[in-house]
Amino acid sequence: MTYTERNVAGQVATTLDAIDAGTPVTTEHTGLLDQYHAGGVGAVDKLITWLALSPGDTVIDVGSGFGGPARRIAEQTPATVVGIDITPAYVDAAKTLTTRMGFADRVEFRHADIMDMPVDQPYDAAVTMHVQMNVEDKPAWFAAIAAVLAPTGRLAVWEVCTTDGRQPPWPMPWSLDGSDSFLCTPADLKQAITSGGFDVVEWEDETAWVNAWSAATLDDDAPRPGLILPMLLDDGLTRVVNFADALRDGTLTVMRGAFTKAAP
Ligand SMILES: C[S@@+](CC[C@H](N)C(=O)[O-])C[C@H]1O[C@@H](n2cnc3c(N)ncnc32)[C@H](O)[C@@H]1O
């Protein structure tokens, strides 16, 4: 079982308290703490470009983690964002960061599973980043996302696949021992998304870009909070190193997809 960390919000709050009150904390600043996917804020920006969000648009971030992607969308676009996540401790941490970073008027987080979520409003767009690896029935997962979107809804995904069926060494960021990992190939993931009710606009292999980002990040000495993601996760350093290795040696692939909701 993965995602069992508990006092994440407390650790985050302590880190934020150590930053001078009044110092603006930007999404660039927290990118290595709250972006729980390969590629950091740059990966979110790639999804934002396709989503082309306008004032009044609403976005749902499915599996929002510590809320980094949702806050980046709010910072870079005029949209409002609702993040949902199944892990209560992550939702608490997302709320703590959002309040401290000044996004609470346009970003909210709820503890929910997309498979059980009531449709309280049709969203204009959905994003999901590094979540479907934990989902066995992928067509049902994407159908549940389609169900909360307006008829003209857009979907942007940033997802990990097995390149050719090989499994990576565990632990990985989304699974400690592989028992809750359901990796599939890029072709099978694209098929699952279209079966769930979407038409493909773009389907791009971003692994080379991610590997370049990882190499540059290691050399980067930009200011950041004292806490970074591997320190928040159980066995975090091993998980992050294993992931980077599996992307470099070709076991894993990161895919970016842009989709529109299919006509009924
Ligand atoms: C690897 S993290 C990615 C978090 C975030 N998307 C990001 O990129 O920063 C995967 C997240 O998916 C969430 N998750 C897994 N299964 C879920 C489900 N059925 N419904 C909602 N969230 C889920 C986990 O709690 C975790 O926060």
PDB file of all heavy atoms in Angstrom, residues 213-251:
ATOM      1  N   TRP A 213      15.196  17.387 -18.313  1.00  0.00           N
ATOM      2  CA  TRP A 213      14.774  18.150 -17.114  1.00  0.00           C
ATOM      3  C   TRP A 213      15.445  17.591 -15.864  1.00  0.00           C
ATOM      4  O   TRP A 213      15.936  18.348 -15.018  1.00  0.00           O
ATOM      5  CB  TRP A 213      13.243  18.082 -16.981  1.00  0.00           C
ATOM      6  CG  TRP A 213      12.747  18.677 -15.698  1.00  0.00           C
ATOM      7  CD1 TRP A 213      12.482  19.993 -15.449  1.00  0.00           C
ATOM      8  CD2 TRP A 213      12.477  17.978 -14.473  1.00  0.00           C
ATOM      9  NE1 TRP A 213      12.066  20.156 -14.149  1.00  0.00           N
ATOM     10  CE2 TRP A 213      12.052  18.940 -13.529  1.00  0.00           C
ATOM     11  CE3 TRP A 213      12.541  16.643 -14.087  1.00  0.00           C
ATOM     12  CZ2 TRP A 213      11.698  18.601 -12.223  1.00  0.00           C
ATOM     13  CZ3 TRP A 213      12.197  16.303 -12.789  1.00  0.00           C
ATOM     14  CH2 TRP A 213      11.780  17.269 -11.872  1.00  0.00           C
ATOM     15  N   SER A 214      15.481  16.248 -15.727  1.00  0.00           N
ATOM     16  CA  SER A 214      16.089  15.641 -14.537  1.00  0.00           C
ATOM     17  C   SER A 214      17.560  16.017 -14.444  1.00  0.00           C
ATOM     18  O   SER A 214      18.053  16.369 -13.362  1.00  0.00           O
ATOM     19  CB  SER A 214      15.977  14.116 -14.586  1.00  0.00           C
ATOM     20  OG  SER A 214      14.646  13.730 -14.567  1.00  0.00           O
ATOM     21  N   ALA A 215      18.277  15.948 -15.573  1.00  0.00           N
ATOM     22  CA  ALA A 215      19.707  16.268 -15.562  1.00  0.00           C
ATOM     23  C   ALA A 215      19.912  17.733 -15.190  1.00  0.00           C
ATOM     24  O   ALA A 215      20.777  18.067 -14.371  1.00  0.00           O
ATOM     25  CB  ALA A 215      20.309  15.967 -16.936  1.00  0.00           C
ATOM     26  N   ALA A 216      19.108  18.620 -15.761  1.00  0.00           N
ATOM     27  CA  ALA A 216      19.253  20.051 -15.468  1.00  0.00           C
ATOM     28  C   ALA A 216      18.893  20.340 -14.016  1.00  0.00           C
ATOM     29  O   ALA A 216      19.518  21.184 -13.363  1.00  0.00           O
ATOM     30  CB  ALA A 216      18.362  20.864 -16.406  1.00  0.00           C
ATOM     31  N   THR A 217      17.898  19.641 -13.467  1.00  0.00           N
ATOM     32  CA  THR A 217      17.450  19.880 -12.096  1.00  0.00           C
ATOM     33  C   THR A 217      18.544  19.518 -11.102  1.00  0.00           C
ATOM     34  O   THR A 217      18.736  20.192 -10.084  1.00  0.00           O
ATOM     35  CB  THR A 217      16.162  19.076 -11.813  1.00  0.00           C
ATOM     36  OG1 THR A 217      15.181  19.474 -12.764  1.00  0.00           O
ATOM     37  CG2 THR A 217      15.642  19.338 -10.412  1.00  0.00           C
ATOM     38  N   LEU A 218      19.277  18.454 -11.381  1.00  0.00           N
ATOM     39  CA  LEU A 218      20.365  18.049 -10.497  1.00  0.00           C
ATOM     40  C   LEU A 218      21.429  19.130 -10.399  1.00  0.00           C
ATOM     41  O   LEU A 218      22.053  19.309  -9.357  1.00  0.00           O
ATOM     42  CB  LEU A 218      21.019  16.764 -11.026  1.00  0.00           C
ATOM     43  CG  LEU A 218      20.304  15.462 -10.713  1.00  0.00           C
ATOM     44  CD1 LEU A 218      21.074  14.300 -11.322  1.00  0.00           C
ATOM     45  CD2 LEU A 218      20.182  15.277  -9.199  1.00  0.00           C
ATOM     46  N   ASP A 219      21.634  19.879 -11.504  1.00  0.00           N
ATOM     47  CA  ASP A 219      22.668  20.916 -11.537  1.00  0.00           C
ATOM     48  C   ASP A 219      22.168  22.277 -11.053  1.00  0.00           C
ATOM     49  O   ASP A 219      22.937  23.208 -10.901  1.00  0.00           O
ATOM     50  CB  ASP A 219      23.167  21.116 -12.981  1.00  0.00           C
ATOM     51  CG  ASP A 219      23.992  19.935 -13.427  1.00  0.00           C
ATOM     52  OD1 ASP A 219      24.456  19.184 -12.550  1.00  0.00           O
ATOM     53  OD2 ASP A 219      24.145  19.754 -14.651  1.00  0.00           O
ATOM     54  N   ASP A 220      20.844  22.382 -10.874  1.00  0.00           N
ATOM     55  CA  ASP A 220      20.223  23.674 -10.614  1.00  0.00           C
ATOM     56  C   ASP A 220      20.368  24.035  -9.133  1.00  0.00           C
ATOM     57  O   ASP A 220      20.026  23.247  -8.267  1.00  0.00           O
ATOM     58  CB  ASP A 220      18.741  23.535 -10.984  1.00  0.00           C
ATOM     59  CG  ASP A 220      17.972  24.816 -10.771  1.00  0.00           C
ATOM     60  OD1 ASP A 220      18.606  25.844 -10.542  1.00  0.00           O
ATOM     61  OD2 ASP A 220      16.743  24.758 -10.837  1.00  0.00           O
ATOM     62  N   ASP A 221      20.872  25.237  -8.837  1.00  0.00           N
ATOM     63  CA  ASP A 221      20.957  25.634  -7.421  1.00  0.00           C
ATOM     64  C   ASP A 221      20.040  26.823  -7.138  1.00  0.00           C
ATOM     65  O   ASP A 221      20.324  27.664  -6.311  1.00  0.00           O
ATOM     66  CB  ASP A 221      22.405  25.919  -7.018  1.00  0.00           C
ATOM     67  CG  ASP A 221      23.038  26.982  -7.896  1.00  0.00           C
ATOM     68  OD1 ASP A 221      22.317  27.509  -8.774  1.00  0.00           O
ATOM     69  OD2 ASP A 221      24.222  27.282  -7.703  1.00  0.00           O
ATOM     70  N   ALA A 222      18.877  26.837  -7.840  1.00  0.00           N
ATOM     71  CA  ALA A 222      17.902  27.907  -7.607  1.00  0.00           C
ATOM     72  C   ALA A 222      17.350  27.821  -6.186  1.00  0.00           C
ATOM     73  O   ALA A 222      17.343  26.748  -5.590  1.00  0.00           O
ATOM     74  CB  ALA A 222      16.749  27.756  -8.606  1.00  0.00           C
ATOM     75  N   PRO A 223      16.890  28.976  -5.627  1.00  0.00           N
ATOM     76  CA  PRO A 223      16.348  28.934  -4.260  1.00  0.00           C
ATOM     77  C   PRO A 223      15.109  28.065  -4.178  1.00  0.00           C
ATOM     78  O   PRO A 223      14.301  28.028  -5.094  1.00  0.00           O
ATOM     79  CB  PRO A 223      16.001  30.398  -3.977  1.00  0.00           C
ATOM     80  CG  PRO A 223      16.014  31.097  -5.288  1.00  0.00           C
ATOM     81  CD  PRO A 223      16.834  30.292  -6.231  1.00  0.00           C
ATOM     82  N   ARG A 224      14.990  27.304  -3.107  1.00  0.00           N
ATOM     83  CA  ARG A 224      13.821  26.455  -2.899  1.00  0.00           C
ATOM     84  C   ARG A 224      13.656  26.243  -1.408  1.00  0.00           C
ATOM     85  O   ARG A 224      14.580  26.450  -0.633  1.00  0.00           O
ATOM     86  CB  ARG A 224      13.981  25.123  -3.635  1.00  0.00           C
ATOM     87  CG  ARG A 224      15.221  24.345  -3.264  1.00  0.00           C
ATOM     88  CD  ARG A 224      15.359  23.088  -4.107  1.00  0.00           C
ATOM     89  NE  ARG A 224      15.497  23.355  -5.509  1.00  0.00           N
ATOM     90  CZ  ARG A 224      16.513  22.915  -6.261  1.00  0.00           C
ATOM     91  NH1 ARG A 224      17.475  22.182  -5.736  1.00  0.00           N
ATOM     92  NH2 ARG A 224      16.571  23.207  -7.527  1.00  0.00           N
ATOM     93  N   PRO A 225      12.439  25.825  -0.974  1.00  0.00           N
ATOM     94  CA  PRO A 225      12.265  25.594   0.458  1.00  0.00           C
ATOM     95  C   PRO A 225      13.165  24.458   0.922  1.00  0.00           C
ATOM     96  O   PRO A 225      13.580  23.621   0.121  1.00  0.00           O
ATOM     97  CB  PRO A 225      10.790  25.216   0.594  1.00  0.00           C
ATOM     98  CG  PRO A 225      10.246  25.046  -0.757  1.00  0.00           C
ATOM     99  CD  PRO A 225      11.246  25.514  -1.755  1.00  0.00           C
ATOM    100  N   GLY A 226      13.427  24.399   2.221  1.00  0.00           N
ATOM    101  CA  GLY A 226      14.333  23.390   2.745  1.00  0.00           C
ATOM    102  C   GLY A 226      13.856  21.972   2.512  1.00  0.00           C
ATOM    103  O   GLY A 226      14.635  21.022   2.557  1.00  0.00           O
ATOM    104  N   LEU A 227      12.565  21.807   2.267  1.00  0.00           N
ATOM    105  CA  LEU A 227      11.979  20.483   2.117  1.00  0.00           C
ATOM    106  C   LEU A 227      11.786  20.193   0.636  1.00  0.00           C
ATOM    107  O   LEU A 227      11.288  21.047  -0.097  1.00  0.00           O
ATOM    108  CB  LEU A 227      10.607  20.546   2.795  1.00  0.00           C
ATOM    109  CG  LEU A 227       9.868  19.308   3.226  1.00  0.00           C
ATOM    110  CD1 LEU A 227      10.675  18.535   4.259  1.00  0.00           C
ATOM    111  CD2 LEU A 227       8.527  19.746   3.836  1.00  0.00           C
ATOM    112  N   ILE A 228      12.162  19.001   0.185  1.00  0.00           N
ATOM    113  CA  ILE A 228      11.830  18.610  -1.191  1.00  0.00           C
ATOM    114  C   ILE A 228      11.095  17.274  -1.155  1.00  0.00           C
ATOM    115  O   ILE A 228      11.132  16.554  -0.155  1.00  0.00           O
ATOM    116  CB  ILE A 228      13.066  18.557  -2.119  1.00  0.00           C
ATOM    117  CG1 ILE A 228      14.113  17.603  -1.580  1.00  0.00           C
ATOM    118  CG2 ILE A 228      13.635  19.958  -2.326  1.00  0.00           C
ATOM    119  CD1 ILE A 228      15.273  17.388  -2.558  1.00  0.00           C
ATOM    120  N   LEU A 229      10.437  16.936  -2.260  1.00  0.00           N
ATOM    121  CA  LEU A 229       9.497  15.811  -2.288  1.00  0.00           C
ATOM    122  C   LEU A 229      10.034  14.507  -1.696  1.00  0.00           C
ATOM    123  O   LEU A 229       9.332  13.870  -0.893  1.00  0.00           O
ATOM    124  CB  LEU A 229       9.016  15.593  -3.738  1.00  0.00           C
ATOM    125  CG  LEU A 229       8.012  14.470  -3.926  1.00  0.00           C
ATOM    126  CD1 LEU A 229       6.684  14.784  -3.257  1.00  0.00           C
ATOM    127  CD2 LEU A 229       7.798  14.197  -5.408  1.00  0.00           C
ATOM    128  N   PRO A 230      11.253  14.066  -2.045  1.00  0.00           N
ATOM    129  CA  PRO A 230      11.700  12.777  -1.498  1.00  0.00           C
ATOM    130  C   PRO A 230      11.715  12.753   0.023  1.00  0.00           C
ATOM    131  O   PRO A 230      11.583  11.692   0.631  1.00  0.00           O
ATOM    132  CB  PRO A 230      13.124  12.623  -2.057  1.00  0.00           C
ATOM    133  CG  PRO A 230      13.177  13.524  -3.236  1.00  0.00           C
ATOM    134  CD  PRO A 230      12.228  14.642  -2.958  1.00  0.00           C
ATOM    135  N   MET A 231      11.848  13.945   0.653  1.00  0.00           N
ATOM    136  CA  MET A 231      11.882  13.987   2.116  1.00  0.00           C
ATOM    137  C   MET A 231      10.481  13.803   2.712  1.00  0.00           C
ATOM    138  O   MET A 231      10.350  13.467   3.887  1.00  0.00           O
ATOM    139  CB  MET A 231      12.487  15.319   2.577  1.00  0.00           C
ATOM    140  CG  MET A 231      13.934  15.475   2.126  1.00  0.00           C
ATOM    141  SD  MET A 231      14.441  17.193   1.929  1.00  0.00           S
ATOM    142  CE  MET A 231      14.703  17.674   3.596  1.00  0.00           C
ATOM    143  N   LEU A 232       9.438  14.028   1.915  1.00  0.00           N
ATOM    144  CA  LEU A 232       8.065  13.869   2.409  1.00  0.00           C
ATOM    145  C   LEU A 232       7.579  12.436   2.298  1.00  0.00           C
ATOM    146  O   LEU A 232       6.625  12.041   2.965  1.00  0.00           O
ATOM    147  CB  LEU A 232       7.103  14.737   1.580  1.00  0.00           C
ATOM    148  CG  LEU A 232       7.084  16.232   1.804  1.00  0.00           C
ATOM    149  CD1 LEU A 232       6.059  16.862   0.864  1.00  0.00           C
ATOM    150  CD2 LEU A 232       6.728  16.548   3.243  1.00  0.00           C
ATOM    151  N   LEU A 233       8.184  11.648   1.397  1.00  0.00           N
ATOM    152  CA  LEU A 233       7.656  10.319   1.077  1.00  0.00           C
ATOM    153  C   LEU A 233       8.410   9.232   1.812  1.00  0.00           C
ATOM    154  O   LEU A 233       9.639   9.311   1.971  1.00  0.00           O
ATOM    155  CB  LEU A 233       7.782  10.066  -0.438  1.00  0.00           C
ATOM    156  CG  LEU A 233       7.128  11.091  -1.365  1.00  0.00           C
ATOM    157  CD1 LEU A 233       7.385  10.703  -2.814  1.00  0.00           C
ATOM    158  CD2 LEU A 233       5.635  11.206  -1.079  1.00  0.00           C
ATOM    159  N   ASP A 234       7.698   8.176   2.220  1.00  0.00           N
ATOM    160  CA  ASP A 234       8.365   7.009   2.802  1.00  0.00           C
ATOM    161  C   ASP A 234       9.332   6.456   1.753  1.00  0.00           C
ATOM    162  O   ASP A 234       8.950   6.244   0.594  1.00  0.00           O
ATOM    163  CB  ASP A 234       7.330   5.919   3.145  1.00  0.00           C
ATOM    164  CG  ASP A 234       6.347   6.393   4.215  1.00  0.00           C
ATOM    165  OD1 ASP A 234       6.702   7.315   4.979  1.00  0.00           O
ATOM    166  OD2 ASP A 234       5.224   5.851   4.262  1.00  0.00           O
ATOM    167  N   ASP A 235      10.576   6.217   2.148  1.00  0.00           N
ATOM    168  CA  ASP A 235      11.592   5.676   1.232  1.00  0.00           C
ATOM    169  C   ASP A 235      11.736   6.563  -0.029  1.00  0.00           C
ATOM    170  O   ASP A 235      11.990   6.072  -1.132  1.00  0.00           O
ATOM    171  CB  ASP A 235      11.212   4.248   0.826  1.00  0.00           C
ATOM    172  CG  ASP A 235      12.434   3.397   0.515  1.00  0.00           C
ATOM    173  OD1 ASP A 235      13.561   3.898   0.660  1.00  0.00           O
ATOM    174  OD2 ASP A 235      12.253   2.236   0.106  1.00  0.00           O
ATOM    175  N   GLY A 236      11.551   7.884   0.170  1.00  0.00           N
ATOM    176  CA  GLY A 236      11.421   8.800  -0.957  1.00  0.00           C
ATOM    177  C   GLY A 236      12.613   8.852  -1.891  1.00  0.00           C
ATOM    178  O   GLY A 236      12.453   8.867  -3.118  1.00  0.00           O
ATOM    179  N   LEU A 237      13.827   8.870  -1.333  1.00  0.00           N
ATOM    180  CA  LEU A 237      14.992   9.018  -2.209  1.00  0.00           C
ATOM    181  C   LEU A 237      15.130   7.810  -3.137  1.00  0.00           C
ATOM    182  O   LEU A 237      15.350   7.957  -4.346  1.00  0.00           O
ATOM    183  CB  LEU A 237      16.256   9.210  -1.363  1.00  0.00           C
ATOM    184  CG  LEU A 237      17.501   9.586  -2.163  1.00  0.00           C
ATOM    185  CD1 LEU A 237      17.270  10.867  -2.956  1.00  0.00           C
ATOM    186  CD2 LEU A 237      18.707   9.751  -1.241  1.00  0.00           C
ATOM    187  N   THR A 238      14.961   6.602  -2.601  1.00  0.00           N
ATOM    188  CA  THR A 238      15.066   5.398  -3.434  1.00  0.00           C
ATOM    189  C   THR A 238      14.013   5.419  -4.538  1.00  0.00           C
ATOM    190  O   THR A 238      14.288   5.068  -5.693  1.00  0.00           O
ATOM    191  CB  THR A 238      14.867   4.127  -2.576  1.00  0.00           C
ATOM    192  OG1 THR A 238      15.710   4.212  -1.445  1.00  0.00           O
ATOM    193  CG2 THR A 238      15.175   2.869  -3.364  1.00  0.00           C
ATOM    194  N   ARG A 239      12.812   5.840  -4.197  1.00  0.00           N
ATOM    195  CA  ARG A 239      11.725   5.853  -5.185  1.00  0.00           C
ATOM    196  C   ARG A 239      12.036   6.813  -6.329  1.00  0.00           C
ATOM    197  O   ARG A 239      11.823   6.489  -7.505  1.00  0.00           O
ATOM    198  CB  ARG A 239      10.410   6.246  -4.497  1.00  0.00           C
ATOM    199  CG  ARG A 239       9.929   5.161  -3.552  1.00  0.00           C
ATOM    200  CD  ARG A 239       8.939   5.676  -2.533  1.00  0.00           C
ATOM    201  NE  ARG A 239       7.598   5.898  -3.061  1.00  0.00           N
ATOM    202  CZ  ARG A 239       6.578   6.331  -2.320  1.00  0.00           C
ATOM    203  NH1 ARG A 239       6.774   6.602  -1.032  1.00  0.00           N
ATOM    204  NH2 ARG A 239       5.394   6.496  -2.848  1.00  0.00           N
ATOM    205  N   VAL A 240      12.526   7.994  -5.980  1.00  0.00           N
ATOM    206  CA  VAL A 240      12.811   8.998  -7.014  1.00  0.00           C
ATOM    207  C   VAL A 240      14.010   8.562  -7.874  1.00  0.00           C
ATOM    208  O   VAL A 240      13.994   8.696  -9.105  1.00  0.00           O
ATOM    209  CB  VAL A 240      13.037  10.370  -6.349  1.00  0.00           C
ATOM    210  CG1 VAL A 240      13.592  11.378  -7.326  1.00  0.00           C
ATOM    211  CG2 VAL A 240      11.727  10.877  -5.750  1.00  0.00           C
ATOM    212  N   VAL A 241      15.027   8.005  -7.237  1.00  0.00           N
ATOM    213  CA  VAL A 241      16.210   7.557  -8.001  1.00  0.00           C
ATOM    214  C   VAL A 241      15.838   6.394  -8.920  1.00  0.00           C
ATOM    215  O   VAL A 241      16.211   6.356 -10.101  1.00  0.00           O
ATOM    216  CB  VAL A 241      17.360   7.167  -7.030  1.00  0.00           C
ATOM    217  CG1 VAL A 241      18.470   6.446  -7.765  1.00  0.00           C
ATOM    218  CG2 VAL A 241      17.897   8.405  -6.325  1.00  0.00           C
ATOM    219  N   ASN A 242      15.048   5.426  -8.413  1.00  0.00           N
ATOM    220  CA  ASN A 242      14.619   4.301  -9.258  1.00  0.00           C
ATOM    221  C   ASN A 242      13.840   4.782 -10.473  1.00  0.00           C
ATOM    222  O   ASN A 242      13.994   4.263 -11.589  1.00  0.00           O
ATOM    223  CB  ASN A 242      13.721   3.342  -8.456  1.00  0.00           C
ATOM    224  CG  ASN A 242      14.499   2.420  -7.555  1.00  0.00           C
ATOM    225  OD1 ASN A 242      15.726   2.349  -7.627  1.00  0.00           O
ATOM    226  ND2 ASN A 242      13.794   1.699  -6.689  1.00  0.00           N
ATOM    227  N   PHE A 243      12.972   5.773 -10.248  1.00  0.00           N
ATOM    228  CA  PHE A 243      12.141   6.307 -11.331  1.00  0.00           C
ATOM    229  C   PHE A 243      13.029   6.954 -12.405  1.00  0.00           C
ATOM    230  O   PHE A 243      12.887   6.668 -13.605  1.00  0.00           O
ATOM    231  CB  PHE A 243      11.158   7.316 -10.731  1.00  0.00           C
ATOM    232  CG  PHE A 243      10.116   7.860 -11.677  1.00  0.00           C
ATOM    233  CD1 PHE A 243       9.696   7.160 -12.796  1.00  0.00           C
ATOM    234  CD2 PHE A 243       9.523   9.094 -11.414  1.00  0.00           C
ATOM    235  CE1 PHE A 243       8.704   7.673 -13.650  1.00  0.00           C
ATOM    236  CE2 PHE A 243       8.541   9.617 -12.251  1.00  0.00           C
ATOM    237  CZ  PHE A 243       8.143   8.910 -13.367  1.00  0.00           C
ATOM    238  N   ALA A 244      13.955   7.803 -11.962  1.00  0.00           N
ATOM    239  CA  ALA A 244      14.840   8.485 -12.918  1.00  0.00           C
ATOM    240  C   ALA A 244      15.652   7.456 -13.710  1.00  0.00           C
ATOM    241  O   ALA A 244      15.814   7.575 -14.938  1.00  0.00           O
ATOM    242  CB  ALA A 244      15.754   9.456 -12.183  1.00  0.00           C
ATOM    243  N   ASP A 245      16.139   6.409 -13.031  1.00  0.00           N
ATOM    244  CA  ASP A 245      16.924   5.376 -13.725  1.00  0.00           C
ATOM    245  C   ASP A 245      16.076   4.653 -14.769  1.00  0.00           C
ATOM    246  O   ASP A 245      16.532   4.384 -15.889  1.00  0.00           O
ATOM    247  CB  ASP A 245      17.461   4.345 -12.712  1.00  0.00           C
ATOM    248  CG  ASP A 245      18.612   4.892 -11.871  1.00  0.00           C
ATOM    249  OD1 ASP A 245      19.144   5.973 -12.223  1.00  0.00           O
ATOM    250  OD2 ASP A 245      18.965   4.253 -10.857  1.00  0.00           O
ATOM    251  N   ALA A 246      14.830   4.307 -14.397  1.00  0.00           N
ATOM    252  CA  ALA A 246      13.969   3.544 -15.317  1.00  0.00           C
ATOM    253  C   ALA A 246      13.550   4.377 -16.527  1.00  0.00           C
ATOM    254  O   ALA A 246      13.299   3.828 -17.617  1.00  0.00           O
ATOM    255  CB  ALA A 246      12.735   3.039 -14.568  1.00  0.00           C
ATOM    256  N   LEU A 247      13.483   5.705 -16.352  1.00  0.00           N
ATOM    257  CA  LEU A 247      13.207   6.571 -17.511  1.00  0.00           C
ATOM    258  C   LEU A 247      14.442   6.678 -18.397  1.00  0.00           C
ATOM    259  O   LEU A 247      14.345   6.707 -19.627  1.00  0.00           O
ATOM    260  CB  LEU A 247      12.775   7.963 -17.030  1.00  0.00           C
ATOM    261  CG  LEU A 247      11.368   8.030 -16.433  1.00  0.00           C
ATOM    262  CD1 LEU A 247      11.157   9.341 -15.695  1.00  0.00           C
ATOM    263  CD2 LEU A 247      10.315   7.854 -17.527  1.00  0.00           C
ATOM    264  N   ARG A 248      15.605   6.717 -17.766  1.00  0.00           N
ATOM    265  CA  ARG A 248      16.845   6.829 -18.546  1.00  0.00           C
ATOM    266  C   ARG A 248      17.166   5.541 -19.297  1.00  0.00           C
ATOM    267  O   ARG A 248      17.632   5.569 -20.427  1.00  0.00           O
ATOM    268  CB  ARG A 248      18.014   7.192 -17.632  1.00  0.00           C
ATOM    269  CG  ARG A 248      18.342   8.678 -17.613  1.00  0.00           C
ATOM    270  CD  ARG A 248      19.721   8.933 -17.053  1.00  0.00           C
ATOM    271  NE  ARG A 248      19.932   8.243 -15.798  1.00  0.00           N
ATOM    272  CZ  ARG A 248      19.634   8.759 -14.605  1.00  0.00           C
ATOM    273  NH1 ARG A 248      19.131   9.972 -14.524  1.00  0.00           N
ATOM    274  NH2 ARG A 248      19.853   8.077 -13.498  1.00  0.00           N
ATOM    275  N   ASP A 249      16.900   4.362 -18.674  1.00  0.00           N
ATOM    276  CA  ASP A 249      17.290   3.106 -19.340  1.00  0.00           C
ATOM    277  C   ASP A 249      16.203   2.581 -20.277  1.00  0.00           C
ATOM    278  O   ASP A 249      16.362   1.509 -20.879  1.00  0.00           O
ATOM    279  CB  ASP A 249      17.731   2.042 -18.321  1.00  0.00           C
ATOM    280  CG  ASP A 249      16.572   1.440 -17.514  1.00  0.00           C
ATOM    281  OD1 ASP A 249      15.397   1.567 -17.921  1.00  0.00           O
ATOM    282  OD2 ASP A 249      16.853   0.834 -16.463  1.00  0.00           O
ATOM    283  N   GLY A 250      15.090   3.306 -20.406  1.00  0.00           N
ATOM    284  CA  GLY A 250      14.071   2.943 -21.387  1.00  0.00           C
ATOM    285  C   GLY A 250      13.016   1.965 -20.888  1.00  0.00           C
ATOM    286  O   GLY A 250      12.145   1.553 -21.662  1.00  0.00           O
ATOM    287  N   THR A 251      13.036   1.605 -19.593  1.00  0.00           N
ATOM    288  CA  THR A 251      11.987   0.721 -19.068  1.00  0.00           C
ATOM    289  C   THR A 251      10.649   1.458 -19.041  1.00  0.00           C
ATOM    290  O   THR A 251       9.607   0.882 -19.349  1.00  0.00           O
ATOM    291  CB  THR A 251      12.333   0.257 -17.631  1.00  0.00           C
ATOM    292  OG1 THR A 251      13.627  -0.342 -17.647  1.00  0.00           O
ATOM    293  CG2 THR A 251      11.315  -0.734 -17.109  1.00  0.00           C
TER     294      THR A 251
END
